[in-house]
Amino acid sequence: MVNVVTTVDSNMNNTNNNHKEMKPGAVDIEKSKQNSDSDGVSWGKIFYVLLSLAVIVIACGVAWVFQDWLTSLIIFVVLLVVFTVGYFWKWLYIAARTAPRDFSALWCYVKILRLSGNFGKKNWSMPDIFHENVKRHPNKACFLYENESWSFKQVEEFSLRVTAVLKNHGVKRGDVVGVMMNNCPELPATWLGVARMGGVSPLINTNQTGNALLHSVNVAKCNVVIYGSEFQSAFDEISNEINPAIKLYRYNRRPLNASGDAVRVVESENDFTHMLETTPPAPWSLSDGEGFTGKLLYIYTSGTTGLPKAAVISPSRMVFMASGVHYLGGLRKNDIMYCPMPLYHSAGGCISVGQAFIFGCTVALRAKFSASAYFPDCIKFKATAAHYIGEMCRYILATPPSATDRQHKVRTVYGNGMRPTIWTEFVKRFNIKRVVEFYGATEGNANIVNIDNKTGAIGFVSRIIPAVYPIAILKVDQETGEPIRNSKGLCQLAKPYEPGVFIGKIKPNNPSRAFLGYVDKEASEKKIVRDVFNIGDSAFISGDILVADELGYLYFRDRTGDTFRWRGENVSTTEVEAAVSRCANQRDAVVYGVEIPNTEGRAGMCGIVDIEGTLDLDKLAKDIAKDLPKYARPIFIRIMTSVDMTGTFKMKKVDLQKEGYNPSTVSDKMFFFEPKQNKYVPLGVEEYEKIISGEIRL
């Protein structure tokens, strides 16, 4: 019940699309339609009840006349039990199958609420929660990174230095301090220091460059940005456009406990490393912020349309996400977690980091994911639990069998997107006892967890106590993404095997059920559906299509809206279309996702109107590389003479998406991005066959 990478050695750049395949328990569309026919009266059930009553009355009457009242009473009780079981047999069957799961989850949910309630009463922010673990075991390893071991005390001391430096430079409560660093212990320690002084930290995606980076800084209204020295060129690129009032501090990372001469630091007015080394830690004190329900982090998500949006994360939201995976996933306080996930995402930055900050676990970090190093790293760090994204698992499984496959101590892996087609093979080869698959949106207020190793499931909804955890699957128009309403204007629940959209009921006065949304209030409003089950109520609508089986297990089906997933990132077609059109001298551009066999997610394809044939694809490739991160750049280009428009001047893309990129069926010229040549090259039948067979990897 909780809430949602880069290289495979040198080639891994494709990640996670949650679950694209039909899950076990899901059925075809025809059966879905059969199960979702009418919500009207069931005349069969009425007939069964009337017949049952008639039989009971007749049988009891006969027994009373020919025997006695006691016999009549016994027959009444027996027949009542028989007919009740007959009427409710399906519910009783489901209850027998799911009660252990549901009540186990209910107990975990009680522990989550109790933990959140305790922090809420004290109004603690994350630095205050973390300090309790520092007091409990100051010298225990908090983060393991490369050959470094950061104790809880050292992490807190670093964060106190950050607090001191920022205060000395005029940063105050309520200021927004962006952080853009590759994975390392200093990243969470930095935002911890910002939070202590009452600031908010947007965690900037390290793939962002050009306009996307500038937008990320501006949309969060940053007063300060602290960035790793490896991103100096990215900030140099936008130096003429960025607001000069924004303070930029460069952090040059040194190995832990390195002497001052170990790495030469060029002292300048924006050298954050030098500031930290020459400033004593601030004295510890309770956080000077908004407390447990205040703003802690902004985590960027592309959402359904537009440029990256900054989703608001509060301490209560982080506690809810991390504790959900901890309790429902059977994690322990003495676990060592292995996390190769980027810490600017909620999965790595909140769920895995939260295991250390909230529960006192040790978290082993890696700068970038490597398939061949995944389990060797787990052996090196003595990890007992490991974090994944589904596509990671496929790449790990593709590595040659090795003696290290089973020499690790990992008993549990947790994450989202484990593909059903590799699930069983993965756990068997690597001897994984438990897979804790979870699902949820960063900006959402409701999340789910697979707590009992159900292959392919991303979580469940209870069939016997559905009101306990306020989530639901609504009937939805899969083309528009809009909920289907009844005659009263209210939403309808999807039936078993019927695709529907996932929602979380909003309860503003309940920290665990509040919807914080985005910094942009207008964007937040688009994620809220109103008049759900009662007039005036509201819920967060995820935009993802799920299917539930009769036992309540949930399986991912698809995404609605103009977003597809590629390389572990949500790609907004609106953003890509705008960037391509701008780089192509305002030509019409339509973007959509296309499938590549045996590849997770959808690759971006862009149709560009070029009537005169003057488009320079080499220049286009270079220009969009400045404006879009790698995962958002189109893999395929289709040159067109026109594009169909709707009556409201919206470009139609459904037919283009269906046509795909097969040169045998598409007459337009097409190109694909060849990574080795770093440019777009013609896509012919021969190249198409190599892409389909996997000989050419994109």
Side-chain angles (χ1 to χ4, degrees), residues 124-159:
W124 279 356
S125 186
M126 195 52 60
D128 311 316
I129 296 170
F130 179 72
H131 185 65
E132 290 300 297
N133 286 305
V134 176
K135 291 193 297 183
R136 193 174 294 117
H137 35 62
N139 298 318
K140 179 182 177 180
C142 179
F143 293 118
L144 304 176
Y145 177 71
E146 297 181 346
N147 295 317
E148 303 172 20
S149 177
W150 286 64
S151 70
F152 280 81
K153 182 179 179 181
Q154 288 171 314
V155 171
E156 183 171 71
E157 181 178 308
F158 186 94
S159 73

XYZ file of all heavy atoms in Angstrom, residues 124-159:
315
model
N 7.736 16.673 13.066
C 9.129 16.550 12.647
C 9.257 16.610 11.131
O 8.439 16.063 10.395
C 9.703 15.222 13.120
C 10.142 15.239 14.553
C 10.153 16.301 15.408
C 10.633 14.118 15.302
N 10.627 15.918 16.634
C 10.934 14.584 16.601
C 10.844 12.778 15.015
C 11.435 13.764 17.603
C 11.345 11.946 16.000
C 11.641 12.434 17.275
N 10.319 17.248 10.677
C 10.711 17.170 9.283
C 11.750 16.052 9.162
O 12.135 15.431 10.159
C 11.272 18.506 8.801
O 11.519 18.459 7.399
N 12.251 15.800 7.961
C 13.150 14.668 7.760
C 14.462 14.777 8.545
O 14.948 13.758 9.068
C 13.426 14.487 6.265
C 14.039 13.136 5.905
S 13.137 11.694 6.557
C 11.532 11.902 5.799
N 15.084 15.954 8.686
C 16.306 16.016 9.501
C 16.074 15.611 10.958
O 16.964 15.027 11.591
C 16.705 17.497 9.402
C 16.114 17.969 8.132
C 14.813 17.238 8.016
N 14.889 15.891 11.483
C 14.577 15.516 12.869
C 14.391 14.002 12.992
O 14.835 13.381 13.961
C 13.307 16.231 13.329
C 13.345 17.720 13.034
O 14.401 18.328 13.284
O 12.342 18.267 12.534
N 13.737 13.414 11.998
C 13.558 11.959 11.976
C 14.914 11.275 11.852
O 15.212 10.298 12.551
C 12.629 11.560 10.811
C 11.225 12.146 11.024
C 12.555 10.047 10.656
C 10.305 12.009 9.822
N 15.750 11.809 10.957
C 17.081 11.233 10.753
C 17.930 11.322 12.020
O 18.696 10.404 12.340
C 17.781 11.956 9.596
C 19.173 11.452 9.310
C 19.364 10.216 8.714
C 20.291 12.220 9.641
C 20.646 9.753 8.444
C 21.565 11.766 9.377
C 21.751 10.524 8.775
N 17.789 12.419 12.759
C 18.599 12.629 13.959
C 18.360 11.537 14.997
O 19.272 11.189 15.759
C 18.297 14.002 14.564
C 19.175 14.354 15.729
N 20.532 14.536 15.611
C 18.872 14.551 17.054
C 21.043 14.837 16.798
N 20.058 14.840 17.689
N 17.145 10.989 15.038
C 16.859 9.898 15.971
C 17.714 8.678 15.667
O 18.173 7.980 16.575
C 15.370 9.530 15.910
C 14.451 10.592 16.495
C 14.773 10.859 17.961
O 14.636 9.932 18.781
O 15.169 12.002 18.276
N 17.943 8.414 14.391
C 18.812 7.306 14.004
C 20.273 7.613 14.294
O 21.052 6.715 14.625
C 18.624 6.976 12.522
C 17.316 6.259 12.249
O 17.034 5.228 12.855
N 16.505 6.805 11.353
N 20.660 8.880 14.174
C 22.028 9.282 14.516
C 22.277 9.040 16.002
O 23.326 8.523 16.397
C 22.280 10.765 14.162
C 23.679 11.193 14.609
C 22.108 10.999 12.663
N 21.321 9.399 16.833
C 21.457 9.188 18.282
C 21.487 7.695 18.616
O 22.211 7.267 19.521
C 20.307 9.859 19.032
C 20.343 11.380 18.988
C 19.384 12.003 19.990
C 17.953 11.661 19.720
N 17.012 12.328 20.661
N 20.704 6.916 17.861
C 20.590 5.489 18.157
C 21.862 4.734 17.774
O 22.314 3.843 18.491
C 19.385 4.929 17.400
C 18.958 3.537 17.844
C 17.664 3.128 17.151
N 16.548 3.974 17.566
C 15.856 4.765 16.778
N 16.175 4.851 15.491
N 14.854 5.491 17.224
N 22.449 5.046 16.642
C 23.670 4.345 16.210
C 24.510 5.290 15.335
O 24.505 5.176 14.104
C 23.351 3.060 15.451
C 22.120 3.130 14.589
N 21.992 3.995 13.530
C 20.970 2.429 14.635
C 20.823 3.823 12.962
N 20.174 2.886 13.619
N 25.230 6.216 15.972
C 25.991 7.225 15.221
C 27.059 6.649 14.303
O 27.354 7.229 13.257
C 26.612 8.095 16.322
C 26.624 7.219 17.539
C 25.400 6.376 17.423
N 27.646 5.527 14.684
C 28.770 4.985 13.915
C 28.368 3.885 12.935
O 29.221 3.336 12.239
C 29.837 4.455 14.874
C 30.410 5.563 15.751
O 30.675 6.666 15.262
N 30.570 5.300 17.028
N 27.086 3.568 12.890
C 26.622 2.576 11.922
C 26.707 3.163 10.515
O 26.510 4.360 10.312
C 25.170 2.176 12.228
C 24.593 1.157 11.251
C 23.141 0.827 11.566
C 22.561 -0.140 10.545
N 21.144 -0.481 10.822
N 26.998 2.313 9.530
C 27.080 2.784 8.149
C 25.699 3.207 7.657
O 24.746 2.440 7.723
C 27.639 1.691 7.253
N 25.611 4.428 7.188
C 24.368 4.938 6.593
C 24.396 4.721 5.085
O 23.467 4.162 4.521
C 24.214 6.422 6.916
S 22.724 7.186 6.227
N 25.488 5.147 4.435
C 25.660 4.953 3.000
C 26.989 4.273 2.714
O 28.020 4.618 3.315
C 25.622 6.296 2.253
C 24.287 6.978 2.280
C 24.142 8.217 2.867
C 23.180 6.381 1.703
C 22.915 8.860 2.888
C 21.934 7.014 1.722
C 21.810 8.248 2.317
N 26.958 3.321 1.807
C 28.163 2.707 1.259
C 28.254 3.161 -0.192
O 27.274 3.094 -0.930
C 28.086 1.182 1.339
C 27.851 0.582 2.733
C 27.689 -0.933 2.637
C 28.992 0.939 3.678
N 29.437 3.617 -0.580
C 29.595 4.129 -1.945
C 31.024 3.863 -2.397
O 31.979 4.319 -1.741
C 29.295 5.629 -1.983
C 29.490 6.274 -3.333
C 28.606 6.016 -4.381
C 30.556 7.139 -3.564
C 28.778 6.611 -5.616
C 30.733 7.748 -4.799
C 29.841 7.470 -5.830
O 30.013 8.057 -7.059
N 31.160 3.118 -3.490
C 32.482 2.717 -3.969
C 33.248 2.077 -2.807
O 32.811 1.074 -2.267
C 33.197 3.909 -4.601
C 32.456 4.429 -5.838
C 33.120 5.599 -6.519
O 34.036 6.225 -5.909
O 32.739 5.903 -7.666
N 34.350 2.679 -2.376
C 35.086 2.110 -1.244
C 34.897 2.934 0.032
O 35.677 2.807 0.976
C 36.579 2.016 -1.589
C 36.838 1.047 -2.726
O 36.255 -0.039 -2.760
N 37.692 1.433 -3.669
N 33.865 3.757 0.031
C 33.613 4.629 1.171
C 32.470 4.100 2.027
O 31.542 3.470 1.522
C 33.255 6.041 0.688
C 34.317 6.676 -0.190
C 33.842 7.978 -0.805
O 32.869 8.566 -0.270
O 34.421 8.415 -1.818
N 32.546 4.383 3.316
C 31.470 4.046 4.248
C 31.150 5.293 5.066
O 31.972 5.752 5.866
C 31.901 2.902 5.177
O 30.881 2.621 6.115
N 29.962 5.836 4.835
C 29.524 7.043 5.526
C 28.642 6.646 6.712
O 27.573 6.066 6.531
C 28.715 7.928 4.581
C 29.530 8.647 3.539
C 30.255 8.090 2.525
C 29.688 10.064 3.415
N 30.858 9.068 1.765
C 30.522 10.296 2.294
C 29.203 11.161 4.121
C 30.879 11.568 1.883
C 29.550 12.434 3.706
C 30.390 12.633 2.603
N 29.085 6.994 7.906
C 28.280 6.702 9.091
C 27.129 7.700 9.195
O 27.128 8.745 8.536
C 29.137 6.769 10.350
O 29.512 8.116 10.620
N 26.148 7.361 10.017
C 25.030 8.283 10.232
C 25.531 9.622 10.772
O 25.044 10.690 10.389
C 24.014 7.660 11.201
C 23.096 6.674 10.548
C 23.497 5.369 10.304
C 21.826 7.054 10.145
C 22.658 4.464 9.687
C 20.971 6.158 9.514
C 21.392 4.849 9.287
N 26.530 9.565 11.630
C 27.090 10.785 12.198
C 27.753 11.634 11.117
O 27.610 12.866 11.099
C 28.097 10.431 13.290
C 28.702 11.627 13.993
C 29.675 11.190 15.084
C 30.307 12.390 15.791
N 31.270 11.957 16.847
N 28.478 10.997 10.202
C 29.161 11.737 9.142
C 28.172 12.372 8.170
O 28.389 13.488 7.696
C 30.122 10.801 8.400
C 31.361 10.434 9.205
C 32.181 9.351 8.529
O 31.640 8.346 8.068
N 33.494 9.552 8.463
N 27.090 11.650 7.872
C 26.068 12.216 6.978
C 25.441 13.447 7.622
O 25.256 14.483 6.977
C 24.989 11.162 6.654
C 23.808 11.806 5.910
C 25.578 10.029 5.826
N 25.139 13.346 8.912
C 24.533 14.495 9.590
C 25.509 15.662 9.674
O 25.119 16.823 9.490
C 24.064 14.113 10.987
C 23.354 15.284 11.684
C 22.681 14.872 12.974
O 23.410 14.584 13.958
O 21.445 14.847 13.021
N 26.781 15.363 9.916
C 27.771 16.442 10.000
C 27.888 17.167 8.668
O 27.986 18.395 8.615
C 29.131 15.884 10.413
C 30.191 16.972 10.552
C 31.537 16.418 11.002
O 31.581 15.704 12.022
O 32.543 16.713 10.323
N 27.896 16.402 7.555
C 27.955 17.029 6.235
C 26.731 17.921 6.028
O 26.839 19.050 5.533
C 28.016 15.961 5.145
C 28.217 16.514 3.757
C 29.488 16.622 3.215
C 27.141 16.943 2.991
C 29.680 17.140 1.939
C 27.309 17.462 1.725
C 28.591 17.563 1.187
N 25.555 17.419 6.425
C 24.331 18.201 6.248
C 24.366 19.471 7.089
O 23.849 20.520 6.670
C 23.100 17.360 6.601
O 22.973 17.166 7.989
